[in-house]
Amino acid sequence: MKLISKVFCLVLPAVLIISCNTSKEKTVDVDAEEHVITVPLFNKDSAYAFVEYQVSMGPRVPSTTPHVKTGDWLVHKFRTYGAQVEEQNFEATSFDGKKMYLRNIIASYAPEKAKRILLAAHWDTRPFADKDNSRKDEAIDGANDGASGVGVLLEIARSIQQELPKGVGVDIILFDGEDWGNDVSFQKPVPLRDGWESWWCMGSQYWGKNPHKPNYSAYYGILLDMVGGKNARFFTEGYSRQIAPSIVKKVWDVASQIGYSNYFVRREGAAITDDHYFVHKYRNIPMIDIIPMDPESDSFGTFHHTHNDNMDIISKETLGAVGETLLYVLYHE
Ligand code: AHN
Ligand code: ZN
């Protein structure tokens, strides 16, 4: 079946081969020089299962057992998917004085290639539900806030391992310590210390100052944050438009080309201090953030930092729209 659909695509005159996307088959396409490009299938059921598994482990709050176990599992998964995996372990103190044992996880494909694309998400969970009306001091499931981006990136790793993109190497970084931040709209502002520039995004700040390879750089980066919500809409994020306008255009163009303009909306959203900001600031890598910050409600959604951020709000379709868009971008570089 795979072979038939591939052959069928190949025997068509080149001008007709725009996109042969036979049901569950990979996409076959040609570039400007008429080289055949095959984009692997993004399996949204698999991505969903990765999100579900993380949530089943319990909140991935730094310095807890679920955090350690999930970190071990993530490293193991990337290794079984053929990546070269490095870990960065470090300690930091949170704004509320808790010691955090943090771990950034870096999975590399084709590490010898000079032209690299960096894909990232945070994998930690917020230790409280400060926007909820009840059980505010309990950790959230973080199905969307954390697990969704990791689920998409694991599925990308699983799907690219067989036939890597020809033109680029890929690094997937899971940042830790993103979400234990000082939300000054609810919490007393705590002055910064120890060279930290924000109480959010500590993993990306650490990695930015201590990259896993000396002088590491990338052609560009794409950060995923809360990319699994039902009916999610991704507006263009403010820092992304400033630091990586051509990447914003590329990704939003691809999304509309493959039918996902309902998710990737061409409208300006607010600027958000997120991991991409520090990747750009410390490593000078242009990086965008795919994040559902709605300019109308000026929020990420009612689930955000509440106990509603559980599996009930996760959509396979949204995970699929983001994952397919990313794969298409990778295989057309
Ligand atoms: C701000 O809320 C300004 N930054 C953190 C963004 C975030 C929180 N992403 C996930 N949780
Ligand atoms: Zn959060």
Side-chain angles (χ1 to χ4, degrees), residues 88 90 104-106 118 120 173-176 195-197 200-218 274-285 287:
Q88 287 189 321
F90 59 103
N104 290 331
I105 298 166
I106 302 121
L118 168 56
I173 307 191
L174 303 183
F175 290 119
D176 204 350
W196 296 106
E197 230 185 282
W200 302 96
C201 306
M202 293 182 117
S204 54
Q205 291 180 68
Y206 180 88
W207 176 85
K209 294 179 184 176
N210 310 276
H212 62 292
K213 287 197 163 50
N215 302 314
Y216 175 88
S217 193
D274 207 345
D275 294 318
H276 68 315
Y277 175 85
F278 295 102
V279 170
H280 174 260
K281 164 146 195 165
Y282 292 115
R283 303 243 55 82
N284 201 27
I285 298 169
M287 189 160 186

mmCIF file of all heavy atoms in Angstrom, residues 88 90 104-106 118 120 173-176 195-197 200-218 274-285 287:
data_model
loop_
_atom_site.group_PDB
_atom_site.id
_atom_site.type_symbol
_atom_site.label_atom_id
_atom_site.label_comp_id
_atom_site.label_asym_id
_atom_site.label_seq_id
_atom_site.Cartn_x
_atom_site.Cartn_y
_atom_site.Cartn_z
ATOM 1 N N GLN A 88 21.143 17.900 31.115
ATOM 2 C CA GLN A 88 21.800 18.921 31.938
ATOM 3 C C GLN A 88 21.104 18.926 33.283
ATOM 4 O O GLN A 88 19.910 19.231 33.354
ATOM 5 C CB GLN A 88 21.590 20.310 31.329
ATOM 6 C CG GLN A 88 22.373 20.586 30.083
ATOM 7 C CD GLN A 88 22.264 22.048 29.671
ATOM 8 O OE1 GLN A 88 21.193 22.662 29.775
ATOM 9 N NE2 GLN A 88 23.359 22.600 29.201
ATOM 10 N N PHE A 90 20.899 20.583 37.034
ATOM 11 C CA PHE A 90 21.340 21.753 37.795
ATOM 12 C C PHE A 90 20.313 22.056 38.884
ATOM 13 O O PHE A 90 19.200 21.522 38.874
ATOM 14 C CB PHE A 90 21.553 22.964 36.872
ATOM 15 C CG PHE A 90 20.326 23.372 36.100
ATOM 16 C CD1 PHE A 90 19.569 24.480 36.483
ATOM 17 C CD2 PHE A 90 19.914 22.650 34.987
ATOM 18 C CE1 PHE A 90 18.435 24.853 35.778
ATOM 19 C CE2 PHE A 90 18.773 23.016 34.277
ATOM 20 C CZ PHE A 90 18.034 24.115 34.671
ATOM 21 N N ASN A 104 17.372 19.674 32.035
ATOM 22 C CA ASN A 104 17.050 19.896 30.622
ATOM 23 C C ASN A 104 17.415 18.645 29.849
ATOM 24 O O ASN A 104 18.453 18.028 30.108
ATOM 25 C CB ASN A 104 17.863 21.069 30.050
ATOM 26 C CG ASN A 104 17.436 22.419 30.597
ATOM 27 O OD1 ASN A 104 16.283 22.630 30.969
ATOM 28 N ND2 ASN A 104 18.382 23.356 30.651
ATOM 29 N N ILE A 105 16.583 18.287 28.892
ATOM 30 C CA ILE A 105 16.811 17.075 28.093
ATOM 31 C C ILE A 105 16.971 17.483 26.631
ATOM 32 O O ILE A 105 16.088 18.144 26.071
ATOM 33 C CB ILE A 105 15.634 16.099 28.264
ATOM 34 C CG1 ILE A 105 15.534 15.662 29.734
ATOM 35 C CG2 ILE A 105 15.787 14.881 27.335
ATOM 36 C CD1 ILE A 105 14.238 14.973 30.104
ATOM 37 N N ILE A 106 18.108 17.095 26.038
ATOM 38 C CA ILE A 106 18.409 17.502 24.658
ATOM 39 C C ILE A 106 18.558 16.253 23.799
ATOM 40 O O ILE A 106 19.417 15.409 24.053
ATOM 41 C CB ILE A 106 19.714 18.329 24.612
ATOM 42 C CG1 ILE A 106 19.580 19.558 25.528
ATOM 43 C CG2 ILE A 106 20.036 18.771 23.173
ATOM 44 C CD1 ILE A 106 20.587 19.635 26.615
ATOM 45 N N LEU A 118 15.990 23.917 15.850
ATOM 46 C CA LEU A 118 15.764 23.644 17.266
ATOM 47 C C LEU A 118 14.263 23.643 17.543
ATOM 48 O O LEU A 118 13.565 24.616 17.236
ATOM 49 C CB LEU A 118 16.466 24.747 18.081
ATOM 50 C CG LEU A 118 16.169 24.873 19.561
ATOM 51 C CD1 LEU A 118 16.444 23.574 20.287
ATOM 52 C CD2 LEU A 118 17.014 25.984 20.161
ATOM 53 N N ALA A 120 11.447 23.003 20.682
ATOM 54 C CA ALA A 120 11.484 22.960 22.142
ATOM 55 C C ALA A 120 10.097 23.048 22.763
ATOM 56 O O ALA A 120 9.128 23.492 22.131
ATOM 57 C CB ALA A 120 12.371 24.090 22.677
ATOM 58 N N ILE A 173 14.785 20.171 22.400
ATOM 59 C CA ILE A 173 15.144 20.459 23.791
ATOM 60 C C ILE A 173 13.883 20.546 24.640
ATOM 61 O O ILE A 173 12.958 21.301 24.329
ATOM 62 C CB ILE A 173 15.960 21.759 23.938
ATOM 63 C CG1 ILE A 173 17.188 21.743 23.016
ATOM 64 C CG2 ILE A 173 16.385 21.943 25.401
ATOM 65 C CD1 ILE A 173 18.193 22.860 23.288
ATOM 66 N N LEU A 174 13.867 19.753 25.701
ATOM 67 C CA LEU A 174 12.797 19.862 26.688
ATOM 68 C C LEU A 174 13.358 20.652 27.861
ATOM 69 O O LEU A 174 14.255 20.178 28.577
ATOM 70 C CB LEU A 174 12.344 18.470 27.145
ATOM 71 C CG LEU A 174 11.872 17.526 26.041
ATOM 72 C CD1 LEU A 174 11.374 16.209 26.649
ATOM 73 C CD2 LEU A 174 10.783 18.151 25.169
ATOM 74 N N PHE A 175 12.856 21.865 28.016
ATOM 75 C CA PHE A 175 13.336 22.720 29.101
ATOM 76 C C PHE A 175 12.588 22.395 30.387
ATOM 77 O O PHE A 175 11.384 22.145 30.388
ATOM 78 C CB PHE A 175 13.119 24.200 28.754
ATOM 79 C CG PHE A 175 14.021 24.701 27.658
ATOM 80 C CD1 PHE A 175 13.489 25.199 26.474
ATOM 81 C CD2 PHE A 175 15.405 24.685 27.809
ATOM 82 C CE1 PHE A 175 14.310 25.672 25.462
ATOM 83 C CE2 PHE A 175 16.241 25.157 26.800
ATOM 84 C CZ PHE A 175 15.690 25.650 25.624
ATOM 85 N N ASP A 176 13.330 22.450 31.474
ATOM 86 C CA ASP A 176 12.749 22.249 32.796
ATOM 87 C C ASP A 176 12.555 23.627 33.447
ATOM 88 O O ASP A 176 13.028 24.651 32.940
ATOM 89 C CB ASP A 176 13.715 21.378 33.624
ATOM 90 C CG ASP A 176 13.011 20.645 34.747
ATOM 91 O OD1 ASP A 176 11.837 20.931 35.028
ATOM 92 O OD2 ASP A 176 13.669 19.769 35.361
ATOM 93 N N GLY A 195 21.516 36.196 39.358
ATOM 94 C CA GLY A 195 21.687 36.328 37.910
ATOM 95 C C GLY A 195 20.473 35.890 37.091
ATOM 96 O O GLY A 195 20.484 35.969 35.865
ATOM 97 N N TRP A 196 19.420 35.424 37.775
ATOM 98 C CA TRP A 196 18.214 35.053 37.024
ATOM 99 C C TRP A 196 17.523 36.315 36.532
ATOM 100 O O TRP A 196 17.453 37.309 37.238
ATOM 101 C CB TRP A 196 17.247 34.236 37.891
ATOM 102 C CG TRP A 196 17.819 32.925 38.319
ATOM 103 C CD1 TRP A 196 18.258 32.605 39.566
ATOM 104 C CD2 TRP A 196 18.035 31.768 37.489
ATOM 105 N NE1 TRP A 196 18.735 31.313 39.575
ATOM 106 C CE2 TRP A 196 18.605 30.772 38.324
ATOM 107 C CE3 TRP A 196 17.798 31.469 36.148
ATOM 108 C CZ2 TRP A 196 18.952 29.505 37.847
ATOM 109 C CZ3 TRP A 196 18.132 30.213 35.675
ATOM 110 C CH2 TRP A 196 18.706 29.245 36.518
ATOM 111 N N GLU A 197 16.987 36.229 35.341
ATOM 112 C CA GLU A 197 16.327 37.399 34.777
ATOM 113 C C GLU A 197 14.819 37.327 34.899
ATOM 114 O O GLU A 197 14.103 38.283 34.611
ATOM 115 C CB GLU A 197 16.682 37.471 33.295
ATOM 116 C CG GLU A 197 17.160 38.846 32.946
ATOM 117 C CD GLU A 197 17.388 38.922 31.482
ATOM 118 O OE1 GLU A 197 18.429 38.417 31.060
ATOM 119 O OE2 GLU A 197 16.517 39.458 30.795
ATOM 120 N N TRP A 200 10.412 32.719 35.778
ATOM 121 C CA TRP A 200 9.919 31.765 34.789
ATOM 122 C C TRP A 200 11.130 31.298 33.947
ATOM 123 O O TRP A 200 12.178 31.950 33.959
ATOM 124 C CB TRP A 200 8.926 32.437 33.827
ATOM 125 C CG TRP A 200 7.724 33.052 34.461
ATOM 126 C CD1 TRP A 200 7.568 34.364 34.810
ATOM 127 C CD2 TRP A 200 6.488 32.401 34.816
ATOM 128 N NE1 TRP A 200 6.326 34.571 35.343
ATOM 129 C CE2 TRP A 200 5.640 33.381 35.364
ATOM 130 C CE3 TRP A 200 6.025 31.083 34.710
ATOM 131 C CZ2 TRP A 200 4.347 33.079 35.810
ATOM 132 C CZ3 TRP A 200 4.743 30.789 35.153
ATOM 133 C CH2 TRP A 200 3.924 31.777 35.698
ATOM 134 N N CYS A 201 10.952 30.258 33.207
ATOM 135 C CA CYS A 201 11.906 29.892 32.147
ATOM 136 C C CYS A 201 13.328 29.691 32.662
ATOM 137 O O CYS A 201 14.295 30.141 32.039
ATOM 138 C CB CYS A 201 11.926 30.969 31.061
ATOM 139 S SG CYS A 201 10.302 31.336 30.375
ATOM 140 N N MET A 202 13.490 29.018 33.797
ATOM 141 C CA MET A 202 14.837 28.871 34.361
ATOM 142 C C MET A 202 15.661 27.869 33.559
ATOM 143 O O MET A 202 16.875 28.035 33.413
ATOM 144 C CB MET A 202 14.742 28.510 35.823
ATOM 145 C CG MET A 202 14.145 29.682 36.599
ATOM 146 S SD MET A 202 14.041 29.360 38.342
ATOM 147 C CE MET A 202 15.124 30.603 38.997
ATOM 148 N N GLY A 203 15.017 26.859 33.006
ATOM 149 C CA GLY A 203 15.746 25.883 32.184
ATOM 150 C C GLY A 203 16.340 26.513 30.936
ATOM 151 O O GLY A 203 17.487 26.246 30.569
ATOM 152 N N SER A 204 15.585 27.355 30.279
ATOM 153 C CA SER A 204 16.099 27.985 29.052
ATOM 154 C C SER A 204 17.131 29.062 29.379
ATOM 155 O O SER A 204 18.092 29.251 28.624
ATOM 156 C CB SER A 204 14.964 28.561 28.202
ATOM 157 O OG SER A 204 14.154 29.435 28.944
ATOM 158 N N GLN A 205 16.980 29.720 30.534
ATOM 159 C CA GLN A 205 18.014 30.689 30.921
ATOM 160 C C GLN A 205 19.329 29.962 31.197
ATOM 161 O O GLN A 205 20.397 30.394 30.767
ATOM 162 C CB GLN A 205 17.584 31.461 32.175
ATOM 163 C CG GLN A 205 16.413 32.409 31.941
ATOM 164 C CD GLN A 205 16.043 33.154 33.222
ATOM 165 O OE1 GLN A 205 16.806 33.994 33.714
ATOM 166 N NE2 GLN A 205 14.868 32.857 33.765
ATOM 167 N N TYR A 206 19.221 28.830 31.929
ATOM 168 C CA TYR A 206 20.428 28.053 32.236
ATOM 169 C C TYR A 206 21.084 27.545 30.950
ATOM 170 O O TYR A 206 22.292 27.699 30.742
ATOM 171 C CB TYR A 206 20.071 26.872 33.164
ATOM 172 C CG TYR A 206 21.274 26.039 33.517
ATOM 173 C CD1 TYR A 206 22.067 26.360 34.624
ATOM 174 C CD2 TYR A 206 21.642 24.954 32.724
ATOM 175 C CE1 TYR A 206 23.195 25.609 34.938
ATOM 176 C CE2 TYR A 206 22.770 24.201 33.027
ATOM 177 C CZ TYR A 206 23.547 24.535 34.128
ATOM 178 O OH TYR A 206 24.662 23.805 34.428
ATOM 179 N N TRP A 207 20.273 26.947 30.078
ATOM 180 C CA TRP A 207 20.822 26.394 28.823
ATOM 181 C C TRP A 207 21.405 27.508 27.943
ATOM 182 O O TRP A 207 22.449 27.328 27.306
ATOM 183 C CB TRP A 207 19.733 25.626 28.051
ATOM 184 C CG TRP A 207 20.205 25.137 26.731
ATOM 185 C CD1 TRP A 207 20.885 23.981 26.480
ATOM 186 C CD2 TRP A 207 20.075 25.800 25.459
ATOM 187 N NE1 TRP A 207 21.186 23.881 25.140
ATOM 188 C CE2 TRP A 207 20.695 24.980 24.491
ATOM 189 C CE3 TRP A 207 19.477 27.001 25.056
ATOM 190 C CZ2 TRP A 207 20.742 25.331 23.134
ATOM 191 C CZ3 TRP A 207 19.521 27.347 23.715
ATOM 192 C CH2 TRP A 207 20.148 26.516 22.770
ATOM 193 N N GLY A 208 20.749 28.657 27.921
ATOM 194 C CA GLY A 208 21.229 29.777 27.102
ATOM 195 C C GLY A 208 22.634 30.209 27.514
ATOM 196 O O GLY A 208 23.468 30.542 26.666
ATOM 197 N N LYS A 209 22.893 30.161 28.840
ATOM 198 C CA LYS A 209 24.219 30.533 29.347
ATOM 199 C C LYS A 209 25.188 29.358 29.341
ATOM 200 O O LYS A 209 26.398 29.556 29.384
ATOM 201 C CB LYS A 209 24.097 31.061 30.788
ATOM 202 C CG LYS A 209 23.330 32.378 30.890
ATOM 203 C CD LYS A 209 23.236 32.790 32.354
ATOM 204 C CE LYS A 209 22.409 34.044 32.521
ATOM 205 N NZ LYS A 209 22.237 34.398 33.945
ATOM 206 N N ASN A 210 24.655 28.133 29.334
ATOM 207 C CA ASN A 210 25.477 26.912 29.350
ATOM 208 C C ASN A 210 24.966 25.930 28.295
ATOM 209 O O ASN A 210 24.395 24.889 28.628
ATOM 210 C CB ASN A 210 25.380 26.212 30.724
ATOM 211 C CG ASN A 210 25.630 27.168 31.876
ATOM 212 O OD1 ASN A 210 26.765 27.431 32.243
ATOM 213 N ND2 ASN A 210 24.557 27.691 32.448
ATOM 214 N N PRO A 211 25.151 26.252 27.016
ATOM 215 C CA PRO A 211 24.602 25.361 25.982
ATOM 216 C C PRO A 211 25.253 23.977 26.043
ATOM 217 O O PRO A 211 26.380 23.845 26.511
ATOM 218 C CB PRO A 211 24.948 26.072 24.674
ATOM 219 C CG PRO A 211 26.085 26.973 25.007
ATOM 220 C CD PRO A 211 25.907 27.382 26.436
ATOM 221 N N HIS A 212 24.526 22.961 25.589
ATOM 222 C CA HIS A 212 25.020 21.578 25.680
ATOM 223 C C HIS A 212 26.254 21.374 24.820
ATOM 224 O O HIS A 212 27.016 20.434 25.050
ATOM 225 C CB HIS A 212 23.916 20.581 25.302
ATOM 226 C CG HIS A 212 23.426 20.713 23.891
ATOM 227 N ND1 HIS A 212 22.719 21.813 23.457
ATOM 228 C CD2 HIS A 212 23.562 19.906 22.816
ATOM 229 C CE1 HIS A 212 22.433 21.650 22.167
ATOM 230 N NE2 HIS A 212 22.937 20.511 21.756
ATOM 231 N N LYS A 213 26.424 22.243 23.790
ATOM 232 C CA LYS A 213 27.661 22.221 22.994
ATOM 233 C C LYS A 213 28.185 23.649 22.970
ATOM 234 O O LYS A 213 27.406 24.589 22.746
ATOM 235 C CB LYS A 213 27.359 21.760 21.565
ATOM 236 C CG LYS A 213 27.063 20.274 21.469
ATOM 237 C CD LYS A 213 27.179 19.767 20.044
ATOM 238 C CE LYS A 213 27.289 18.256 19.963
ATOM 239 N NZ LYS A 213 26.269 17.512 20.727
ATOM 240 N N PRO A 214 29.523 23.825 23.171
ATOM 241 C CA PRO A 214 30.058 25.197 23.195
ATOM 242 C C PRO A 214 29.692 25.933 21.903
ATOM 243 O O PRO A 214 29.746 25.347 20.826
ATOM 244 C CB PRO A 214 31.573 24.986 23.288
ATOM 245 C CG PRO A 214 31.793 23.558 23.638
ATOM 246 C CD PRO A 214 30.564 22.791 23.303
ATOM 247 N N ASN A 215 29.300 27.166 22.030
ATOM 248 C CA ASN A 215 28.935 27.999 20.874
ATOM 249 C C ASN A 215 27.791 27.435 20.044
ATOM 250 O O ASN A 215 27.680 27.734 18.861
ATOM 251 C CB ASN A 215 30.139 28.224 19.945
ATOM 252 C CG ASN A 215 31.279 28.876 20.685
ATOM 253 O OD1 ASN A 215 31.068 29.842 21.423
ATOM 254 N ND2 ASN A 215 32.474 28.335 20.534
ATOM 255 N N TYR A 216 26.958 26.613 20.658
ATOM 256 C CA TYR A 216 25.826 26.062 19.905
ATOM 257 C C TYR A 216 24.993 27.180 19.293
ATOM 258 O O TYR A 216 24.704 28.196 19.916
ATOM 259 C CB TYR A 216 24.921 25.227 20.821
ATOM 260 C CG TYR A 216 23.669 24.749 20.110
ATOM 261 C CD1 TYR A 216 23.666 23.554 19.399
ATOM 262 C CD2 TYR A 216 22.495 25.505 20.118
ATOM 263 C CE1 TYR A 216 22.541 23.119 18.723
ATOM 264 C CE2 TYR A 216 21.358 25.081 19.444
ATOM 265 C CZ TYR A 216 21.391 23.888 18.754
ATOM 266 O OH TYR A 216 20.275 23.467 18.072
ATOM 267 N N SER A 217 24.626 26.964 18.034
ATOM 268 C CA SER A 217 23.651 27.857 17.411
ATOM 269 C C SER A 217 22.715 27.034 16.545
ATOM 270 O O SER A 217 22.927 25.835 16.338
ATOM 271 C CB SER A 217 24.358 28.933 16.588
ATOM 272 O OG SER A 217 23.408 29.942 16.261
ATOM 273 N N ALA A 218 21.675 27.650 16.060
ATOM 274 C CA ALA A 218 20.749 26.972 15.149
ATOM 275 C C ALA A 218 20.264 27.992 14.142
ATOM 276 O O ALA A 218 20.309 29.206 14.384
ATOM 277 C CB ALA A 218 19.569 26.369 15.916
ATOM 278 N N ASP A 274 8.690 33.778 27.415
ATOM 279 C CA ASP A 274 8.658 32.318 27.385
ATOM 280 C C ASP A 274 10.059 31.845 26.978
ATOM 281 O O ASP A 274 10.942 32.662 26.710
ATOM 282 C CB ASP A 274 7.583 31.866 26.383
ATOM 283 C CG ASP A 274 7.006 30.499 26.732
ATOM 284 O OD1 ASP A 274 7.604 29.778 27.547
ATOM 285 O OD2 ASP A 274 5.945 30.141 26.162
ATOM 286 N N ASP A 275 10.276 30.532 26.915
ATOM 287 C CA ASP A 275 11.620 30.015 26.671
ATOM 288 C C ASP A 275 12.280 30.555 25.399
ATOM 289 O O ASP A 275 13.501 30.708 25.357
ATOM 290 C CB ASP A 275 11.595 28.488 26.642
ATOM 291 C CG ASP A 275 11.247 27.892 28.001
ATOM 292 O OD1 ASP A 275 11.768 28.408 29.019
ATOM 293 O OD2 ASP A 275 10.458 26.942 28.054
ATOM 294 N N HIS A 276 11.498 30.843 24.370
ATOM 295 C CA HIS A 276 12.083 31.342 23.108
ATOM 296 C C HIS A 276 12.801 32.678 23.314
ATOM 297 O O HIS A 276 13.798 32.970 22.663
ATOM 298 C CB HIS A 276 11.005 31.489 22.032
ATOM 299 C CG HIS A 276 9.998 32.574 22.290
ATOM 300 N ND1 HIS A 276 9.405 32.779 23.522
ATOM 301 C CD2 HIS A 276 9.480 33.532 21.478
ATOM 302 C CE1 HIS A 276 8.571 33.800 23.439
ATOM 303 N NE2 HIS A 276 8.599 34.278 22.217
ATOM 304 N N TYR A 277 12.271 33.486 24.247
ATOM 305 C CA TYR A 277 12.853 34.794 24.522
ATOM 306 C C TYR A 277 14.306 34.645 25.002
ATOM 307 O O TYR A 277 15.203 35.380 24.569
ATOM 308 C CB TYR A 277 11.988 35.509 25.577
ATOM 309 C CG TYR A 277 12.559 36.820 26.031
ATOM 310 C CD1 TYR A 277 12.317 38.000 25.320
ATOM 311 C CD2 TYR A 277 13.372 36.892 27.170
ATOM 312 C CE1 TYR A 277 12.857 39.215 25.727
ATOM 313 C CE2 TYR A 277 13.920 38.101 27.582
ATOM 314 C CZ TYR A 277 13.662 39.254 26.857
ATOM 315 O OH TYR A 277 14.199 40.447 27.256
ATOM 316 N N PHE A 278 14.552 33.653 25.876
ATOM 317 C CA PHE A 278 15.906 33.470 26.422
ATOM 318 C C PHE A 278 16.829 32.747 25.448
ATOM 319 O O PHE A 278 18.029 33.004 25.429
ATOM 320 C CB PHE A 278 15.830 32.765 27.781
ATOM 321 C CG PHE A 278 15.130 33.629 28.797
ATOM 322 C CD1 PHE A 278 13.808 33.388 29.150
ATOM 323 C CD2 PHE A 278 15.776 34.733 29.345
ATOM 324 C CE1 PHE A 278 13.143 34.214 30.049
ATOM 325 C CE2 PHE A 278 15.124 35.576 30.238
ATOM 326 C CZ PHE A 278 13.810 35.321 30.596
ATOM 327 N N VAL A 279 16.277 31.864 24.643
ATOM 328 C CA VAL A 279 17.085 31.213 23.597
ATOM 329 C C VAL A 279 17.615 32.281 22.648
ATOM 330 O O VAL A 279 18.782 32.263 22.242
ATOM 331 C CB VAL A 279 16.249 30.156 22.835
ATOM 332 C CG1 VAL A 279 16.992 29.668 21.603
ATOM 333 C CG2 VAL A 279 15.904 28.981 23.756
ATOM 334 N N HIS A 280 16.774 33.232 22.328
ATOM 335 C CA HIS A 280 17.214 34.318 21.449
ATOM 336 C C HIS A 280 18.173 35.263 22.171
ATOM 337 O O HIS A 280 19.232 35.615 21.662
ATOM 338 C CB HIS A 280 16.014 35.104 20.915
ATOM 339 C CG HIS A 280 16.429 36.308 20.129
ATOM 340 N ND1 HIS A 280 16.429 37.583 20.661
ATOM 341 C CD2 HIS A 280 16.908 36.413 18.865
ATOM 342 C CE1 HIS A 280 16.877 38.416 19.737
ATOM 343 N NE2 HIS A 280 17.172 37.755 18.648
ATOM 344 N N LYS A 281 17.818 35.611 23.400
ATOM 345 C CA LYS A 281 18.628 36.575 24.137
ATOM 346 C C LYS A 281 20.055 36.075 24.375
ATOM 347 O O LYS A 281 21.023 36.805 24.190
ATOM 348 C CB LYS A 281 17.956 36.854 25.487
ATOM 349 C CG LYS A 281 18.863 37.508 26.482
ATOM 350 C CD LYS A 281 18.160 38.452 27.370
ATOM 351 C CE LYS A 281 19.213 39.308 28.052
ATOM 352 N NZ LYS A 281 18.668 40.475 28.678
ATOM 353 N N TYR A 282 20.223 34.816 24.790
ATOM 354 C CA TYR A 282 21.557 34.313 25.141
ATOM 355 C C TYR A 282 22.292 33.649 23.993
ATOM 356 O O TYR A 282 23.518 33.594 23.999
ATOM 357 C CB TYR A 282 21.467 33.350 26.339
ATOM 358 C CG TYR A 282 21.080 34.063 27.618
ATOM 359 C CD1 TYR A 282 19.883 33.788 28.257
ATOM 360 C CD2 TYR A 282 21.921 35.045 28.160
ATOM 361 C CE1 TYR A 282 19.524 34.461 29.418
ATOM 362 C CE2 TYR A 282 21.563 35.719 29.318
ATOM 363 C CZ TYR A 282 20.373 35.433 29.941
ATOM 364 O OH TYR A 282 20.030 36.102 31.079
ATOM 365 N N ARG A 283 21.573 33.108 23.017
ATOM 366 C CA ARG A 283 22.244 32.380 21.934
ATOM 367 C C ARG A 283 22.006 33.019 20.572
ATOM 368 O O ARG A 283 22.486 32.537 19.551
ATOM 369 C CB ARG A 283 21.799 30.904 21.896
ATOM 370 C CG ARG A 283 22.060 30.198 23.211
ATOM 371 C CD ARG A 283 23.041 29.066 23.106
ATOM 372 N NE ARG A 283 24.332 29.420 22.538
ATOM 373 C CZ ARG A 283 25.337 29.975 23.213
ATOM 374 N NH1 ARG A 283 25.219 30.228 24.486
ATOM 375 N NH2 ARG A 283 26.461 30.265 22.611
ATOM 376 N N ASN A 284 21.230 34.075 20.576
ATOM 377 C CA ASN A 284 20.983 34.822 19.341
ATOM 378 C C ASN A 284 20.342 33.964 18.237
ATOM 379 O O ASN A 284 20.608 34.174 17.055
ATOM 380 C CB ASN A 284 22.299 35.459 18.859
ATOM 381 C CG ASN A 284 22.033 36.630 17.934
ATOM 382 O OD1 ASN A 284 20.990 37.268 18.027
ATOM 383 N ND2 ASN A 284 22.949 36.890 17.020
ATOM 384 N N ILE A 285 19.533 33.026 18.649
ATOM 385 C CA ILE A 285 18.832 32.163 17.684
ATOM 386 C C ILE A 285 17.427 32.724 17.467
ATOM 387 O O ILE A 285 16.690 32.921 18.442
ATOM 388 C CB ILE A 285 18.749 30.711 18.222
ATOM 389 C CG1 ILE A 285 20.153 30.121 18.408
ATOM 390 C CG2 ILE A 285 17.882 29.840 17.310
ATOM 391 C CD1 ILE A 285 20.190 28.808 19.177
ATOM 392 N N MET A 287 13.770 32.634 17.168
ATOM 393 C CA MET A 287 12.877 31.555 17.620
ATOM 394 C C MET A 287 11.462 32.067 17.783
ATOM 395 O O MET A 287 11.263 33.178 18.288
ATOM 396 C CB MET A 287 13.395 30.972 18.939
ATOM 397 C CG MET A 287 12.672 29.705 19.389
ATOM 398 S SD MET A 287 13.705 28.806 20.581
ATOM 399 C CE MET A 287 12.758 27.321 20.822
#
